[in-house]
Amino acid sequence: MKTRPKKTVIGTITCLCCGEKIPAKQNELGTLDVSCNWCDMPVYAKPGSAAHKQLMARVQRFAEPAPDATNPVHPPPVEAKPAARAVRGVFDVFTGA
């Protein structure tokens, strides 16, 4: 089964038709999706095309959060838990164990 690429919101853009502020989404492959919720105008642009370059010039990107000590980029390593003791099951009762 084929899965859809995950989309992430990269910023906002004004709709080309009605002028409302709408989210600009980009999927893992780089395709830009600017679909208006108010006037239902869909705009898609593949990376490397002239339309993609023009739309990316209009996108107001969100500011990248600054990494700090309280929110590290890499989480601390998790210690391995010791193996759990075997649980007695129904079949242990019949074998006399």
Side-chain angles (χ1 to χ4, degrees):
M1 176 185 244
K2 190 173 182 180
T3 60
R4 292 182 183 175
K6 184 178 177 183
K7 293 181 183 178
T8 55
V9 179
I10 60 170
T12 60
I13 188 170
T14 56
C15 178
L16 304 173
C17 184
C18 67
E20 291 286 333
K21 286 273 189 189
I22 54 175
K25 302 173 198 165
Q26 192 170 25
N27 68 11
E28 296 168 343
L29 304 174
T31 303
L32 194 60
D33 174 15
V34 181
S35 298
C36 184
N37 296 331
W38 288 271
C39 66
D40 294 331
M41 179 179 163
V43 178
Y44 301 98
K46 294 202 178 230
S49 65
H52 188 272
K53 292 175 188 173
Q54 289 177 1
L55 285 175
M56 285 303 291
R58 293 179 178 205
V59 172
Q60 297 172 356
R61 289 186 166 263
F62 294 136
E64 294 287 328
D68 56 324
T70 59
N71 188 10
V73 176
H74 301 289
V78 178
E79 295 181 19
K81 294 181 181 179
R85 203 174 62 169
V87 179
R88 296 191 69 156
V90 176
F91 298 107
D92 293 337
V93 175
F94 298 116
T95 59

